[in-house]
Amino acid sequence: MLLLLASWLIHHEFRDQRRQAEDRLLAVSELRQSQVEAWLDDLRGQARFLSGSAYWSDLLLRGQRGDPASLELLFERIVEWRKTHGSDSALLLGAGGEVLAREHPSSRAVAPRLQAAARQALAEGLPVLTAIYRRDGTEIPLRLDVVIPLLRTGKPAQAAVVLRIDARRWLFPTLRAWPVPTESGETALWRREGDQLVVMNELREQIDAAGQLRLPLRTANWLPARLERAEHREGVVFEGRDYRDAATLAVGRRVKGSDWWMITEQDIAEIEQPAYRNACWIAWGAVALLLALAAAARVWAQRQSLRELEQLRVRERQARELIEATPDAMLMLDASGRVAQVNRRFEALLGYPEVELVGHTAERLVPAEARAGHPLLGALRGSSTVAAVAEPDHAMSLVCRDGRVFPAEIAISAVSLGQQSLFVVSIRDVTARKQAEAELQAYRVNLEQLVALRTQALADAIERMRVNEERLDFALSATQDGIWDWNFQTGASFVNAAYSTMLGYAPGELASTPQGQFTDLLHPDERERLCATERQLLQDPGSFEVECRLRCQDGRYKWVLRRGKLVERDPQGQPVRAVGTHLDLGARKQIEAQLRAAKEAAESADRAKSDFLSNISHELRTPMNAIMGMAFMLQNTGLDANQREQLRQLQAASQQLLALIDDILCYIRIDTGTLSVGRQSFELNGVLDAALGRVRDKAVAKGLKLKLAIPPELPPCLEGDGVRIGQVLHKLADNAVKFTDAGEVALAVGIESRPQQRALLRFEVSDSGIGLSAEEQASLFQTFRQVDNSSTRKQGGTGLGLAIAKRLVELMGGSIGVESEPGHGSRFWFSVPVGITQLDPGHEAAAPAQPDPAQPGTDPPVPDRCPDQSPAAPRDERPLAQPAADLLAWPPLRARLLALLREDCTDSVQLFEQQAALIGAALGERFEPMAVALRNFDFEAALALLEAAG
C-alpha cells in the first residue's frame, strides 16, 4: 500500500511539474509572440507613413535634379524621425543601390541582403523588413533593416530610406527575459534559408549564434526542423532536441507577417529536477507517511495555495515585463483612477518618476483648461468617451512635469489581474506628426500656387515660340553652336536648340529673356564682371569675345566661348540689338585641368622630397652633436694610447658624418630657397686660416704641404658673408686634399678689381693631384655627380660638395670654375664681390705665430678650427701659424662665437670657458642659460641666446 501511494505521489508530482512547465511555456511563447508582432506592426506602420510622404518625395526630386541642399534637408528630416521613433541609424539609397547619404561615415559597401531588400522595395513600392542579420565590424553588428521606398503619385520610387534597428537593444533582451529563474529556458527566432534553418538571436549557451548558427532542415528530431516539416502544430507543446542536442519541451509559433519561427523551450531535465528531488523525499518518508497523514493533507493544501500565489506573481511579473517592453509610454490605473504603475518610456516622455505618481490621480497629467471635457478623465469616470479614447487616432493634449503641453495619441483598455480591475493607458507623442501634417498642408498650398503661375508662364512661352519657330527652324537646324539674338529695349530674345542642348536643357526650357538665358546661368563669381565687360565692349567697339562658365541643367558649370556683335543702335547711339554664338570649351578646359593637376602633383612630390631630407638631416644632426660633444669631453680625461687612438677615429668619423649631414641640409636649404646670404664685417685672415685648418689632419696624414698666398695690398677687414666664403673654401680645399696623394695644396687670394669701397676677390685652390680631362670637367658642379663613380668607393663623398659651392658662389653674386689637365693637378677658382670696411678701433689684429726656429724649413701644423676662429694671417706665401685670441674685445668675440655656433663647432665650448668673464659682463642674465646650453652641447639654444643679446 505504501509503495502504491508513493508511486501515485511520484507520478502526480511529475505530471504536475510537466503541466506547470507546459503552461509556463505557452504563456511565455504567447507573450513573446505578441510583443514581437506588435513591434513589427509598429515598424510597418511607421514605414507606410514615411513611404507616402509627398514632402520627402519632393525633397528627393529636387536633390536628384542637382540641389544638394534639398538632399541634405531630406536626410536631416530622416535622422530626426528615426531619433524620435526608436531607430538606431539611417541610410539613403538611390535607385541603383548606391549610397546617397549615410549617418555614420563608412567606406564599407552596402550588404547584399540590404541591396536585395532595396530592389524589392523599389520594384513593389512597398516597405520591406529584412531578417535579422550579422554585419561584423560596424556600429550595429546585429541589425534589422526597414527599407522604405519614397513614392510619388503615378511614378516609380527613385530612392529608399533604410532605418537600421539594433536587435540587441530591445528584441534580444525581450527574448531573453523569463518569468521565473531558469538555467535552460530561452526563446529563439529561426528562419529558413534554402535547406538550412538559421538562428537570428543570441542563445543562452552560444552568444554569437545570431546569423552564424545554421543546422540542416533534414535533422531528424530537431525542434525547428520538425515545425518546418509540419510534424507538429503551431502553439502546441511537444518534445524534441534543440541545437545542443538536449531533450527539451518546446512550443513553436509563427511570427505573423514574416517567415520567422519563434520557439520557446526548456530542458526536460530541468523541468523534472524538482520532481526527482521530491520523489527521493517521498521514498525516504514513505514509512512516516501513515503517522503524518493528517499533517500531509494540511501541507498539500498549503502547497496548492502557494502554487496559486506563485502563479499570480508570475502573471504580475509578466504584465510588468509586457508594459516595460512596449515602445509606447504606458500608464496603469486602478478602478478609482489612481496611478498604479508606469513604464520607463512614460518617465522619459512626461518627466514624472514613478514614485511621484503612484497613488495619485491622473488629473495632473491633463492641462487644467482641458479637464472638463478631456476624454481620458471621462473614461476613468465611466462615461461614454471610453470607446472614443480607445481609438488609436484620437489625439489630445497632455502636460509634462516641466509644464510643457504636447499633443498625444491615447488608447485605454480595461484588464483584470486576478480579482483587481485595471485601466491600461497607452500614450504616444504625435508632435512630429502634427508638425509634418502642417508643413505638408502649407507645402500643398504653395505648390498649387506655383503650379498656377508656371502654367500661365508656360502658356505665354508657347505662344511666343509658335510665332518665331517657323522662321528660325530651317536656318538653325544644321549648326552645333549656340546662336542667340537679343533686343535690349523690348527684352525679346531668341536662342536655337543647340544653345540649350549644349547646357543639358531641352529646347525651350530656358526662360525667353536675356537674363534667364544667360545672366542667371553665369557663375556667381564672374556674373557682375562679365556683364559690365560686355556692356562696355558692345558700346565700343561693338563686339566682344569672352570665356565664361554657364550652369548646366544638372547643376554643373561648363566653360563656353561667347562671341557677340552689335547689329542695331538707336538714334542716340545706344545698343538696341545684338547677335552672337556660344562654343563649347569643355574638352579644352579638361585638357588644361589635367595639365595643371600633373604639374601640381610633380611640385608636391618635389616639396615632399625636400621636406623629408631636411627633417631627417636635422634629426641626425642633433644626436651627432651630442656624440661629438661627449667625445670632446672624453679627450680631457685620463686615457691610454690605445683609447686615445680609438677616440681619434671616433672623432674623425663623427666629423665626416656631420659634414655629410651638413651638406645635405645645406643643399636642401639652397634648393628650397631658404638659405640667405648675409652682409657683415669679417676678417679674411681668419676665414682663410679656418678653411685650411679644417683639412689639416687629412693633409698631415697624407704627407701633403698646405700653403697660403695673400697679397700685401689686400684689405684686412671686409664686408660680406664670411661664413659662406669660408664654406666654399673648405669644400674646395677638402676636395683638393682628397684627390692629391703627394705634393701640396695651395690657397691663393687676389684682387681682380677694386672700384671705390668695393672689391672683386678671386680665390684659387691648387693641388698636385690626378687632374681632370675636359669631359670630366663638364660633369663637375652637378648635384650627386662625380667624375668617376669608383671614386665614391675609394675616396667617399656624395657628389654634393662642388654643387653646393657653385650655388653658394652664385647666391653671393660671383662665379666659379676649374682649370685642369690629367696628371698635372687642378686649380679651382671662384670670384665674389665684397665691401671694404675699416678695422674696429677697439680691435687690434693679432700677428701670426712664426715657425719654430729650432726646426727651420718645417711647416708648423695648421690649427683645426671652424670658420673665422683666428685673426689675420700673414700676407705673403708661407705656412699657416697658430693665432692668438686672448685679447679680443666683445664685438669680435661675439662674431667669432656666432660663427662657431652656426657651424656646431665644439671649439665654441672652449672659447666660452676661456672668455667667461668678458662674456658674462656682456650677456648679464643670459650668461647662465647659455652656459647650461653649451655644457649640454645644445648649440641651437646657445646661438638663439647669443643672437638675442644683440
Side-chain angles (χ1 to χ4, degrees), residues 725 728-729 732 752 760-765 781 802-819 827-834:
I725 293 175
V728 175
L729 288 173
L732 297 180
E752 292 187 353
L760 180 63
L761 298 186
R762 178 184 176 95
F763 297 86
E764 295 182 356
V765 177
F781 306 109
L802 293 179
I804 293 174
K806 182 175 184 296
R807 298 291 292 273
L808 290 176
V809 170
E810 291 174 349
L811 285 175
M812 291 185 289
S815 58
I816 189 171
V818 62
E819 300 171 1
R827 177 184 292 107
F828 286 84
W829 61 268
F830 69 94
S831 300
V832 291
V834 296

Side-chain angles (χ1 to χ4, degrees), residues 532-546 569:
T533 301
E534 288 190 6
R535 284 194 298 268
Q536 180 180 356
L537 293 177
L538 283 176
Q539 183 69 32
D540 183 26
S543 63
F544 64 86
E545 179 176 324
V546 295
R569 295 179 183 266

Side-chain angles (χ1 to χ4, degrees), residues 691-915:
L692 290 182
R694 296 176 66 180
V695 299
R696 184 256 307 173
D697 287 341
K698 294 181 180 179
V700 172
K702 299 179 72 171
L704 302 178
K705 291 185 178 181
L706 296 179
K707 292 186 177 181
L708 175 63
I710 304 175
E713 67 274 9
L714 185 68
C717 191
L718 303 174
E719 182 180 28
D721 197 330
V723 174
R724 303 306 172 198
I725 293 175
Q727 191 173 354
V728 175
L729 288 173
H730 168 253
K731 294 187 180 301
L732 297 180
D734 184 70
N735 198 58
V737 172
K738 181 189 302 184
F739 292 98
T740 302
D741 295 328
E744 63 181 21
V745 173
L747 191 158
V749 185
I751 301 178
E752 292 187 353
S753 62
R754 187 173 179 176
Q756 298 181 355
Q757 293 300 314
R758 299 190 58 79
L760 180 63
L761 298 186
R762 178 184 176 95
F763 297 86
E764 295 182 356
V765 177
S766 304
D767 62 68
S768 56
I770 58 178
L772 297 169
S773 65
E775 292 78 12
E776 293 172 337
Q777 294 178 36
S779 63
L780 290 177
F781 306 109
Q782 296 182 16
T783 307
F784 303 109
R785 292 289 302 274
Q786 293 187 338
V787 295
D788 184 4
N789 288 333
S790 61
S791 64
T792 303
R793 296 186 296 268
K794 180 179 179 181
Q795 306 291 348
T798 61
L800 280 176
L802 293 179
I804 293 174
K806 182 175 184 296
R807 298 291 292 273
L808 290 176
V809 170
E810 291 174 349
L811 285 175
M812 291 185 289
S815 58
I816 189 171
V818 62
E819 300 171 1
S820 178
E821 292 182 7
H824 294 82
S826 302
R827 177 184 292 107
F828 286 84
W829 61 268
F830 69 94
S831 300
V832 291
V834 296
I836 300 175
T837 61
Q838 299 298 325
L839 277 175
D840 185 12
H843 177 198
E844 181 178 352
Q850 299 300 324
D852 188 352
Q855 299 178 0
T858 61
D859 293 322
V862 178
D864 186 9
R865 289 184 176 84
C866 297
D868 290 339
Q869 178 174 336
S870 64
R875 301 178 180 269
D876 53 351
E877 183 175 331
R878 53 185 176 275
L880 255 66
Q882 177 70 33
D886 296 331
L887 302 177
L888 292 176
W890 169 241
L893 176 59
R894 179 178 179 274
R896 188 191 304 179
L897 271 176
L898 287 173
L900 294 173
L901 292 174
R902 288 192 183 104
E903 294 293 326
D904 290 344
C905 185
T906 55
D907 287 355
S908 59
V909 180
Q910 183 177 0
L911 181 60
F912 182 89
E913 293 174 353
Q914 292 175 354
Q915 303 292 338

Side-chain angles (χ1 to χ4, degrees), residues 86-109:
S87 300
D88 298 281
S89 181
L91 192 68
L92 183 61
L93 299 179
E98 72 278 6
V99 177
L100 299 181
R102 186 191 299 267
E103 185 172 358
H104 302 290
S106 174
S107 60
R108 295 178 64 119

Side-chain angles (χ1 to χ4, degrees), residues 25-207:
L25 286 172
L26 289 171
V28 172
S29 176
E30 184 176 1
L31 174 61
R32 296 294 176 262
Q33 181 187 25
S34 63
Q35 290 174 339
V36 174
E37 289 178 351
W39 181 61
L40 293 177
D41 290 342
D42 183 67
L43 293 179
R44 295 189 185 97
Q46 296 180 24
R48 286 192 294 271
F49 174 76
L50 294 179
S51 180
S53 173
Y55 173 60
W56 287 17
S57 298
D58 183 69
L59 287 178
L60 174 64
L61 178 60
R62 285 188 283 173
Q64 291 176 338
R65 287 181 176 178
D67 184 4
S70 298
L71 199 61
E72 293 178 0
L73 178 59
L74 170 61
F75 194 65
E76 289 177 2
R77 293 289 185 267
I78 293 172
V79 174
E80 291 175 0
W81 175 273
R82 77 93 186 152
K83 288 181 179 178
T84 57
H85 289 78
S87 300
D88 298 281
S89 181
L91 192 68
L92 183 61
L93 299 179
E98 72 278 6
V99 177
L100 299 181
R102 186 191 299 267
E103 185 172 358
H104 302 290
S106 174
S107 60
R108 295 178 64 119
V110 178
R113 186 188 303 270
L114 179 55
Q115 291 180 346
R119 287 193 296 271
Q120 178 184 351
L122 292 173
E124 299 177 356
L126 296 174
V128 175
L129 272 69
T130 68
I132 299 171
Y133 65 97
R134 176 176 293 273
R135 188 74 165 167
D136 293 327
T138 63
E139 71 280 1
I140 308 177
L142 293 173
R143 60 180 66 166
L144 178 143
D145 294 332
V146 183
V147 184
I148 307 166
L150 296 182
L151 303 176
R152 297 185 65 223
T153 304
K155 295 184 178 180
Q158 295 299 318
V161 176
V162 179
L163 297 180
R164 186 157 290 160
I165 300 170
D166 192 346
R168 301 172 302 175
R169 182 170 53 84
W170 179 84
L171 183 59
F172 289 3
T174 300
L175 295 176
R176 283 197 299 269
W178 201 263
V180 295
T182 178
E183 295 181 356
S184 62
E186 61 181 337
T187 301
L189 286 175
W190 298 79
R191 66 185 298 270
R192 181 173 179 177
E193 291 185 2
D195 60 348
Q196 292 184 333
L197 292 173
V198 184
V199 69
M200 296 192 296
N201 65 309
E202 301 170 345
L203 299 178
R204 184 184 296 272
E205 296 187 10
Q206 192 169 345
I207 299 300

